[in-house]
């Protein structure tokens, strides 16, 4: 796959997408969002890929925000469509992938960048990372899920403060709040992501996909997450992975998923 704004590489069952607009601090423009959609779709359809790592190029930024020049003169209707389409083809899409996505936040994750990181299944960060949703300083609000996912991760009060002040928090504070799982050095960020990915890949990808659906269900309006868990749990009993996992356990050997 050849792209202008992102890099995609595969190493056996592990894939990495790197947002590669360093002169723009990897800001999200329309073209980059479309390329990310294509890349994620392709990797989701690749049965060999079991984990995806998402990161930014160089050391300054994961994604420092959206490309404001593209929408500064939009109308109300255009603004609504911008947000709706972004949710559909990237932010909601990533959250609901059956393939686990780890965000390796290597620098600034602001506005749409933090929203993209929050769409991933979980996040790790380098110690120089800074995160925030500064949209209200531009007279707008987060439009790619920030007002919904940030409270889920850090709590309503802290999310209100972060959004209202348009301020940034450090990687360590993000860890304390539960926004990221680990903080490490720049040099160790991708190796740590790969280490976690390797732990994930030892397990059943079928069961992991079911777990993603069950966990996400609890955050959907009008959906009873417990009911989804019951259904997904039951469906696992009909899979080859369940047969292999239980047989391996009873025979005291490692499963081969």
């Amino acid at each position: 796959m050849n792209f202008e704004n992102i890099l995609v590489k595969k190493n056996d069952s592990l894939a990495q997408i790197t947002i590669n607009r360093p002169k723009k601090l990897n800001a999200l423009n329309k073209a980059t969002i479309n390329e990310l959609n294509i890349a994620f779709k392709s990797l989701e359809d690749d049965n060999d890929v079991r984990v995806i790592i998402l990161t930014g190029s160089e050391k300054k930024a994961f994604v420092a925000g959206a490309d404001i020049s593209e929408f500064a003169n939009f109308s109300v209707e255009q603004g609504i469509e911008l947000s709706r389409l972004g949710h559909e083809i990237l932010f909601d899409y990533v959250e609901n992938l059956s393939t686990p996505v780890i965000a390796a936040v290597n620098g600034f994750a602001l506005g749409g960048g933090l929203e993209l990181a929050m769409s991933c299944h979980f996040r790790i960060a380098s110690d120089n990372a800074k995160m925030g949703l500064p949209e209200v300083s531009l007279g707008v609000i987060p439009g790619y899920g920030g007002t919904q996912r940030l409270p889920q991760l850090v709590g309503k009060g802290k999310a209100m403060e972060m959004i209202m002040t348009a301020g940034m928090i450090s990687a360590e504070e993000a860890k304390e709040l539960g926004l990221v799982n680990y903080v490490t050095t720049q040099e160790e960020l991708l190796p740590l992501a790969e280490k976690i990915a390797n732990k994930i890949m030892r397990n059943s990808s079928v069961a992991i996909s079911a777990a993603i659906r069950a966990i996400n269900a609890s955050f959907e309006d009008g959906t009873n997450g417990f009911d989804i868990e019951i259904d997904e749990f039951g469906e696992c009993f009909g899979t080859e992975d369940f047969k292999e996992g239980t047989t391996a356990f009873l025979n005291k050997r490692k499963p081969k998923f």
Side-chain angles (χ1 to χ4, degrees):
M1 292 179 283
N2 295 316
F3 298 103
E4 292 184 8
N5 301 294
I6 65 174
L7 304 172
V8 180
K9 67 177 184 179
K10 283 174 50 181
N11 182 11
D12 296 325
S13 296
L14 178 62
Q16 180 179 316
I17 300 175
T18 304
I19 300 165
N20 188 37
R21 302 183 73 213
K23 292 182 180 179
K24 295 287 187 178
L25 295 179
N26 301 326
L28 292 177
N29 60 359
K30 182 179 179 181
T32 304
I33 289 174
N34 286 330
E35 288 186 7
L36 285 168
N37 171 261
I38 294 167
F40 276 115
K41 276 187 175 179
S42 177
L43 295 174
E44 172 81 343
D45 292 339
D46 188 334
N47 291 330
D48 291 332
V49 175
R50 299 184 64 186
V51 179
I52 302 168
I53 296 170
L54 176 66
T55 194
S57 62
E58 301 189 359
K59 297 182 178 182
K60 288 186 177 180
F62 172 74
V63 172
D67 197 331
I68 297 166
S69 63
E70 285 195 337
F71 58 81
N73 297 313
F74 272 18
S75 67
V76 170
E77 291 76 16
Q78 288 173 310
I80 290 171
E81 178 63 12
L82 177 71
S83 178
R84 186 200 62 76
L85 185 62
H87 278 278
E88 180 181 315
I89 70 171
L90 184 58
F91 298 86
D92 290 353
Y93 185 78
V94 169
E95 182 177 58
N96 291 299
L97 285 180
S98 61
T99 306
V101 183
I102 304 170
V105 181
N106 57 301
F108 288 110
L110 304 175
L114 180 55
E115 289 174 302
L116 180 56
M118 290 191 294
S119 296
C120 298
H121 296 117
F122 60 90
R123 294 143 293 283
I124 64 175
S126 57
D127 50 18
N128 69 312
K130 301 286 186 182
M131 300 170 215
L133 295 175
E135 284 87 347
V136 297
S137 68
L138 301 173
V140 71
I141 70 168
Y144 289 141
T147 65
Q148 305 304 300
R149 293 188 179 98
L150 188 63
Q152 292 171 3
L153 290 165
V154 306
K156 180 180 177 182
K158 189 62 182 180
M160 286 282 194
E161 178 190 347
M162 287 177 64
I163 291 170
M164 290 178 183
T165 63
M168 292 186 292
I169 62 172
S170 68
E172 282 296 338
E173 187 174 358
K175 180 172 177 263
E176 292 172 6
L177 292 169
L179 186 53
V180 303
N181 292 13
Y182 301 96
V183 176
T184 187
T185 63
Q186 277 273 356
E187 292 72 24
E188 290 299 316
L189 182 64
L190 288 178
L192 175 58
E194 291 170 6
K195 181 179 178 181
I196 297 170
N198 284 324
K199 289 182 179 180
I200 293 171
M201 290 188 290
R202 295 173 194 161
N203 302 309
S204 163
S205 57
V206 174
I208 287 170
S209 297
I212 290 171
R213 289 190 293 273
I215 292 167
N216 283 345
S218 67
F219 296 102
E220 296 174 4
D221 287 341
T223 300
N224 187 318
F226 290 99
D227 288 342
I228 301 301
E229 180 187 90
I230 290 167
D231 291 340
E232 293 288 353
F233 175 77
E235 290 293 330
C236 288
F237 281 69
T239 67
E240 290 299 319
D241 277 13
F242 176 75
K243 294 177 184 177
E244 169 61 16
T246 53
T247 300
F249 178 81
L250 293 172
N251 291 330
K252 298 181 179 180
R253 64 171 174 82
K254 292 183 178 180
K256 297 178 180 179
F257 293 120

